[in-house]
Amino acid sequence: MEIFAISGLINFIVSLYISVFVFIKGRKQLANKFFILMSCSVAMWSFGYWRWLLETLDYDKALFWLKFLSVGSIWVPIFLFLWIIFQFKDLVKNKVNKILSWVYPILGIIFTLLSFTSLFVESVEQKLFFVFWPNPGPFYIYYVILCYASLTIYTSIILLKAYNRSYGQVKNQLKYVILGSVIAIIGGFSNFPLWYDINLIPYGNFLVGVYPIVFTYAFIKYRLMDIRLVITKSILYFILILSVALSFTFVTFLTAQFFKGEGQVWVTLIVSLIIVIGLDPLKKLLARWTDKFFYKGKINYQKILRGVGEIIAREIDLENLLKALEFNLQSKLKVKTIKIYLLSNNAESNYLYKNDIEEDKISNNSSIVSYLKNKKQVVVTEEMARFKADANTDEKRKEYEDLE
């Protein structure tokens, strides 16, 4: 039973950890607020789970912690749903979700008020090797069906639909959100059968702590929320501190075994000096390793900009300048084609592209020029099909169709 209590403690620590870092960097965004609340709900449930399973003698304390964790478990699927519909609002926006975003919080409040009564958790008793496992009250089944099962299934469906409609980086983000959500949902659900005397040991609880790891990877790798830098740095400094602490502990242990008195002091001082001198190189090495893992294929844009600046400063002839810029950007950005269009001085004011092989021009009144001037955003052609499908007027649909 102790190992299940430890799983609750681990789940609490990792959920609280990710809540803190999202709060530090991204609490101003509404979607991030719901993610923080979801993670805090998981942390609350996990903390109560840990404390409940530690109680093997006191019936009343075990029952209290069960009711405490129930509050967290009520809000986890609700905040997960709210986070999804606001994080990916362009993909999942509809009237049903808007209605449910009001209905389920009200339902959550009702279940929360019931959670500390016998209508929700009736009692605890010995089940399998658990000293105090809960017996559900008459209203608990409504929570399981309406709040946990139905809402998590519905959330999974809208995630899959959003995944099928998405492109590029958003598709990669959704892939990891689906993976993390499914792992957490299955892990949490494994606790329910034993409530109703179905003798299944809740091994799935060990999976709950995996979801923050999956989400953290998505945050860093695919910019799921704007907290990439702070999490990467926290991981780097955690590994750095752990490495130094383990090294110092290991050396202290060895010197205690083989040296006595002043010899032990001198060895410790020398090793401390080596650690201090080697700290910066170790930090740089770990930074390269974390960058290689999380930023595989990452393009160093500062380096590219420096290269572009050097070319502009070096080349005087316009034709040579454009050729050098195209070649540099094409090779560094790893793209198939680069074309630089210049605004002509003729009456038509077209944007012209010309090299030794081909010529091309774009009208100043074209859809893409108008879009870039008005929106001031990068045009990703893969996303135009989705924007066209979501457009509510024929004029908008025609605009996105031209951009495709």
Side-chain angles (χ1 to χ4, degrees):
M1 188 173 71
E2 289 80 4
I3 194 163
F4 286 91
I6 292 170
S7 75
L9 178 60
I10 293 170
N11 294 342
F12 165 71
I13 292 170
V14 294
S15 299
L16 190 63
Y17 172 87
I18 200 168
S19 301
V20 169
F21 280 100
V22 176
F23 179 81
I24 290 170
K25 289 298 290 184
R27 63 184 180 273
K28 293 182 180 179
Q29 297 179 27
L30 183 58
N32 292 5
K33 289 177 182 177
F34 285 123
F35 182 86
I36 293 166
L37 289 170
M38 180 192 72
S39 295
C40 287
S41 298
V42 176
M44 182 179 181
W45 170 76
S46 302
F47 183 82
Y49 198 95
W50 170 55
R51 294 293 296 124
W52 154 53
L53 289 179
L54 289 180
E55 297 294 341
T56 57
L57 298 174
D58 194 318
Y59 177 95
D60 291 331
K61 285 185 178 179
L63 188 59
F64 167 80
W65 286 114
L66 263 166
K67 292 178 178 180
F68 177 87
L69 71 86
S70 294
V71 176
S73 68
I74 288 166
W75 289 98
V76 170
I78 296 172
F79 286 134
L80 173 64
F81 168 71
L82 292 172
W83 174 56
I84 294 301
I85 65 172
F86 283 98
Q87 180 67 36
F88 302 103
K89 57 186 177 183
D90 293 335
L91 292 169
V92 301
K93 189 176 181 180
N94 58 49
K95 290 182 180 179
V96 173
N97 291 340
K98 189 174 181 180
I99 293 169
L100 292 179
S101 69
W102 286 96
V103 170
Y104 270 100
I106 293 170
L107 202 58
I109 292 169
I110 294 170
F111 284 132
T112 300
L113 294 173
L114 291 171
S115 62
F116 279 89
T117 71
S118 59
L119 295 172
F120 206 73
V121 182
E122 186 177 305
S123 60
V124 290
E125 64 178 43
Q126 173 85 35
K127 292 186 182 182
L128 298 179
F129 48 80
F130 297 99
V131 179
F132 295 122
W133 194 269
N135 291 311
F139 277 86
Y140 193 79
I141 189 65
Y142 296 109
Y143 153 69
V144 175
I145 293 173
L146 294 176
C147 210
Y148 199 94
S150 298
L151 187 56
T152 53
I153 290 170
Y154 179 73
T155 303
S156 300
I157 291 170
I158 63 173
L159 276 172
L160 289 170
K161 286 183 176 179
Y163 179 80
N164 290 330
R165 296 178 62 196
S166 62
Y167 297 91
Q169 185 160 272
V170 176
K171 200 176 190 75
N172 286 320
Q173 292 173 354
L174 281 162
K175 179 171 62 178
Y176 285 96
V177 170
I178 292 168
L179 177 62
S181 300
V182 169
I183 288 172
I185 289 165
I186 293 173
F189 191 82
S190 67
N191 289 281
F192 292 132
L194 199 55
W195 280 66
Y196 293 93
D197 298 320
I198 300 170
N199 292 329
L200 293 176
I201 300 172
Y203 288 119
N205 197 64
F206 297 104
L207 296 174
V208 175
V210 176
Y211 95 88
I213 299 170
V214 175
F215 283 179
T216 299
Y217 183 81
F219 294 156
I220 298 171
K221 185 73 174 178
Y222 297 111
R223 299 179 183 270
L224 178 54
M225 294 192 287
D226 193 21
I227 56 169
R228 174 175 176 149
L229 183 60
V230 70
I231 290 189
T232 309
K233 283 189 174 180
S234 68
I235 292 171
L236 171 61
Y237 284 112
F238 172 77
I239 297 172
L240 184 64
I241 292 168
L242 184 65
S243 302
V244 172
L246 289 176
S247 301
F248 196 80
T249 303
F250 180 69
V251 170
T252 304
F253 173 77
L254 284 182
T255 53
Q257 299 297 315
F258 298 105
F259 298 94
K260 301 294 181 183
E262 289 186 5
Q264 183 179 353
V265 174
W266 278 106
V267 171
T268 304
L269 286 173
I270 292 168
V271 171
S272 300
L273 182 62
I274 293 170
I275 289 174
V276 171
I277 294 171
L279 195 61
D280 192 57
L282 178 61
K283 179 185 171 184
K284 290 177 180 177
L285 177 64
L286 291 173
R288 285 199 299 270
W289 286 353
T290 52
D291 284 351
K292 188 175 180 181
F293 180 76
F294 289 117
Y295 301 101
K296 187 177 181 182
K298 178 187 172 187
I299 295 168
N300 190 332
Y301 292 104
Q302 288 185 339
K303 188 176 180 181
I304 292 173
L305 286 173
R306 282 198 300 271
V308 168
E310 290 171 3
I311 293 169
I312 293 171
R314 185 176 67 245
E315 293 290 347
I316 299 176
D317 182 74
L318 180 60
E319 187 175 341
N320 292 334
L321 173 63
L322 294 177
K323 286 181 181 179
L325 286 174
E326 286 177 11
F327 177 79
N328 182 270
L329 292 173
Q330 188 171 338
S331 59
K332 299 297 183 183
L333 293 175
K334 302 177 179 66
V335 294
K336 186 177 180 181
T337 306
I338 292 281
K339 291 184 178 181
I340 300 174
Y341 288 81
L342 298 178
L343 184 62
S344 65
N345 295 321
N346 57 31
E348 296 177 355
S349 296
N350 293 323
Y351 287 87
L352 301 177
Y353 168 77
K354 181 180 180 181
N355 63 16
D356 297 335
I357 302 172
E358 64 173 317
E359 291 185 15
D360 190 17
K361 68 178 180 179
I362 299 175
S363 170
N364 197 29
N365 299 320
S366 66
S367 299
I368 190 165
V369 173
S370 300
Y371 184 88
L372 290 170
K373 284 182 177 179
N374 294 330
K375 301 289 184 180
K376 294 181 173 59
Q377 295 177 348
V378 175
V379 176
V380 181
T381 53
E382 288 179 335
E383 295 179 350
M384 293 301 114
R386 175 169 62 82
F387 291 157
K388 184 174 71 174
D390 293 340
N392 49 18
T393 64
D394 291 337
E395 184 182 349
K396 282 287 183 184
R397 276 191 285 272
K398 180 67 169 60
E399 179 185 356
Y400 291 128
E401 188 175 337
D402 292 341
L403 291 170
E404 281 186 276

